Amino acid sequence: MKPDLFQAPDYYNIDELLNDEHRLVRDAAREWVKREVSPIIEEYAQKAEFPKQIINGLAEIGAFGPYIPAEYGGAGLDQISYGLIMQEIERGDSGVRSTASVQSSLVMYPIWKYGNEAQRQKFLPKLASGEWMGSFGLTEPDHGSNPAGMTTNFKDMGDHYLLNGAKMWISNAPFCQVAVVWAKSEEGRIHGLIVERGMEGFTTPETHNKWSLRASSTGELIFDNVKVPKENLLPNKSGLGAPLGCLDSARYGIAWGAIGAAMDCYDTALRYSKERMQFGKPIGQFQLQQKKLAEMITEITKAQLLAWRLGVMRENGTATSAQISMAKRNNVDMAITIARDARQMLGGMGITGEYSIMRHSMNLESVITYEGTHDIHLLITGLDITGLSAFK
Ligand code: TGC
Ligand code: FAD
């Protein structure tokens, strides 16, 4: 792969909206990605393997629980810093950002928000340091966009719960030590259970043959009469709103992360357009190529402003779930469009692993599907503005 010459675009001086801590956190993550991710990521994507050696580094830049309080091992940062870390990691690779998103927003967040003090003390510090990795089981083979229909269930056996069912498409599953699993009680109420590797009847087979997110490890979570200790039930929230609350946090991070992937594609195409000569001119001199680049920077700038404003509202507690859906949908769509246009600008070179663009493009096919598909987020906006649900 070519050396990482990334220069971040900031057409509207959005840096001026950030404080010193934001810039410090962002720059540290940016440097780390350049040093530890860029040199190896193409090789790991090609061989479809998650680079486990970067786990310690991810923990060091605060990517595991950026906004979780320091008393539990988190970085104690604000929502803008969390977003900027996700942006920088996804600039390197969406699959690496996935690992960080799942660990932070889908595993640490529910334990922090819905767990009791003993659960926080037991799990959060080890998850923050990367000693333990986590996964989040909501999606099932027959219930993706409609998680309310889930059939994974648990029975109260007196001194423990008995868990049965299966989850699929689960990031980090093949190597996780803990899984936050959403399952129905005998009364049909959805609860979160912390399932730990080693519990009898719990297996995590890997999903192979992905053309997308190849540097992220995806698998199933299978529960065959798993005895879950009663102290592993998350006591402080139940119902579908509990997992959806975690998704709010992860979707917000994705709204920032997608900007990173888009910035990398734009920056690569811009540089290439000034170097690649055809018809005796750099291709960047042709109007059709300038149109692509001008539209890319316009869309990146709009996405940056959307993410920043959402971050401010997240921080002051006023962001709604529907506002988060709009940003996730818009920014991922923006990134995938830019990745496709940038790939074309590199001609044949664009399909090779010499450049990051094709990898970003393929990764974004997962990002536009997981955490709620593009169409589901549109329907969430539709519901919000009309008051009429397309899901019922
Ligand atoms: P609905 O009746 O609308 O809502 C049920 C209850 O949930 C509440 N709620 C929310 N709470 C918090 N945050 C949100 N975003 C919420 N949205 C809804 C709602 O108020 C209600 O509460 P209550 O107290 O009245 O019961 O539910 P519905 O069954 O009609 O479904 C709505 C729909 C379709 C929008 C929802 O199910 C949905 O978002 N579906 C998409 C599923 C999804 O996003 N799955 C993601 C799986 S995890 C994943 O992909 C990880 S990828 C990780 C990576 O690698 O980065
Ligand atoms: P379906 O729900 O079957 O949707 C198929 C199509 O129908 C989509 O285009 C959808 O938009 C459309 N559709 C569905 N319902 C409607 C409707 N009412 N109106 C209009 N159109 C509709 N899940 C987890 O729980 N944890 C994870 O860690 C995780 N990681 C993932 C990693 C990867 C790489 C991938 C690809 C997925 C991951 N997922 C995870 C699952 C992901 O969240 C689901 O794939 C996603 O929610 C969509 O569900 P589905 O694939 O079953 O598609």
Side-chain angles (χ1 to χ4, degrees):
M1 196 175 155
K2 298 265 183 211
D4 184 353
L5 303 172
F6 177 67
Q7 287 188 308
D10 185 11
Y11 202 72
Y12 260 45
N13 297 329
I14 288 164
D15 255 28
E16 288 178 7
L17 299 173
L18 306 178
N19 64 29
D20 288 346
E21 182 172 80
H22 297 149
R23 283 190 287 265
L24 210 67
V25 165
R26 192 263 324 269
D27 292 348
R30 186 169 290 169
E31 269 312 300
W32 179 80
V33 167
K34 250 189 188 179
R35 203 175 58 245
E36 304 293 336
V37 178
S38 299
I40 58 134
I41 196 64
E42 181 64 26
E43 182 196 336
Y44 278 82
Q46 292 280 359
K47 62 183 182 186
E49 194 180 316
F50 173 70
K52 288 194 184 139
Q53 69 274 25
I54 65 173
I55 286 176
N56 285 344
L58 280 165
E60 278 162 21
I61 61 166
F64 296 155
Y67 53 80
I68 302 284
E71 61 180 303
Y72 299 118
L77 297 167
D78 71 4
Q79 290 290 313
I80 299 275
S81 289
Y82 162 43
L84 287 165
I85 293 172
M86 296 299 120
Q87 171 186 286
E88 294 308 316
I89 297 175
E90 193 149 359
R91 208 278 297 172
D93 190 81
S94 304
V96 178
R97 197 271 306 135
S98 272
T99 292
S101 288
V102 169
Q103 185 86 344
S104 299
S105 287
L106 301 183
V107 180
M108 296 177 73
Y109 178 89
I111 294 173
W112 176 44
K113 283 284 176 188
Y114 314 146
N116 58 32
E117 195 52 30
Q119 291 167 339
R120 291 186 198 115
Q121 297 288 351
K122 174 176 175 187
F123 293 102
L124 292 179
K126 287 197 163 73
L127 289 163
S129 69
E131 184 181 339
W132 286 352
M133 294 301 293
S135 69
F136 175 89
L138 181 64
T139 306
E140 299 186 350
D142 294 328
H143 302 96
S145 298
N146 177 27
M150 72 174 66
T151 58
T152 298
N153 64 88
F154 63 97
K155 287 195 172 70
D156 189 336
M157 306 302 282
D159 61 343
H160 64 271
Y161 297 117
L162 199 63
L163 178 66
N164 277 290
K167 301 287 177 180
M168 118 176 251
W169 294 118
I170 307 303
S171 302
N172 300 354
F175 60 82
C176 69
Q177 277 78 31
V178 294
V180 170
V181 176
W182 301 94
K184 280 182 181 162
S185 67
E186 287 154 281
E187 294 76 38
R189 183 89 181 153
I190 294 171
H191 290 267
L193 297 159
I194 306 171
V195 180
E196 299 175 62
R197 188 168 294 282
M199 288 179 177
E200 211 179 320
F202 173 44
T203 49
T204 61
E206 182 150 13
T207 302
H208 296 290
N209 296 332
K210 290 181 300 166
W211 285 112
S212 172
L213 234 59
R214 287 171 64 81
S216 161
S217 184
T218 314
E220 295 168 59
L221 303 173
I222 297 176
F223 316 105
D224 180 10
N225 286 319
V226 180
K227 286 182 181 172
V228 180
K230 285 204 151 168
E231 65 260 26
N232 280 27
L233 181 117
L234 297 174
N236 294 332
K237 192 166 167 84
S238 62
L240 187 60
L244 290 177
C246 308
L247 293 181
D248 276 357
S249 177
R251 290 166 176 173
Y252 164 71
I254 291 173
W256 281 92
I259 297 170
M263 291 199 305
D264 198 49
C265 293
Y266 165 77
D267 179 60
T268 304
L270 177 63
R271 190 171 309 107
Y272 192 83
S273 77
K274 295 188 216 169
E275 290 166 359
R276 176 68 176 167
M277 304 291 289
Q278 287 296 295
F279 300 94
K281 295 177 187 168
I283 61 166
Q285 203 170 332
F286 298 120
Q287 289 181 4
L288 287 174
Q289 306 312 319
Q290 288 192 4
K291 177 174 186 289
K292 289 193 187 76
L293 290 166
E295 286 176 350
M296 285 181 205
I297 192 60
T298 307
E299 291 307 316
I300 287 171
T301 304
K302 284 153 67 178
Q304 286 171 322
L305 289 166
L306 195 60
W308 176 80
R309 175 64 191 149
L310 186 63
V312 171
M313 293 193 292
R314 283 284 287 171
E315 191 57 30
N316 65 29
T318 60
T320 66
S321 298
Q323 286 168 334
I324 295 167
S325 281
M326 180 184 280
K328 190 268 182 183
R329 181 176 184 273
N330 180 79
N331 289 10
V332 177
D333 191 53
M334 170 281 299
I336 206 166
T337 304
I338 286 176
R340 287 170 184 156
D341 283 348
R343 202 223 52 76
Q344 288 197 54
M345 286 191 65
L346 266 70
M349 286 312 291
I351 70 150
T352 73
E354 287 294 296
Y355 295 89
S356 54
I357 296 177
M358 189 74 187
R359 180 167 42 79
H360 282 306
S361 182
M362 294 193 302
N363 282 343
L364 289 162
E365 293 291 344
S366 286
V367 182
I368 204 164
T369 295
Y370 66 35
E371 304 265 6
T373 67
H374 189 63
D375 285 344
I376 290 295
H377 287 296
L378 176 122
L379 295 175
I380 292 172
T381 305
L383 165 60
D384 197 44
I385 58 179
T386 65
L388 304 169
S389 174
F391 305 116
K392 308 285 182 206

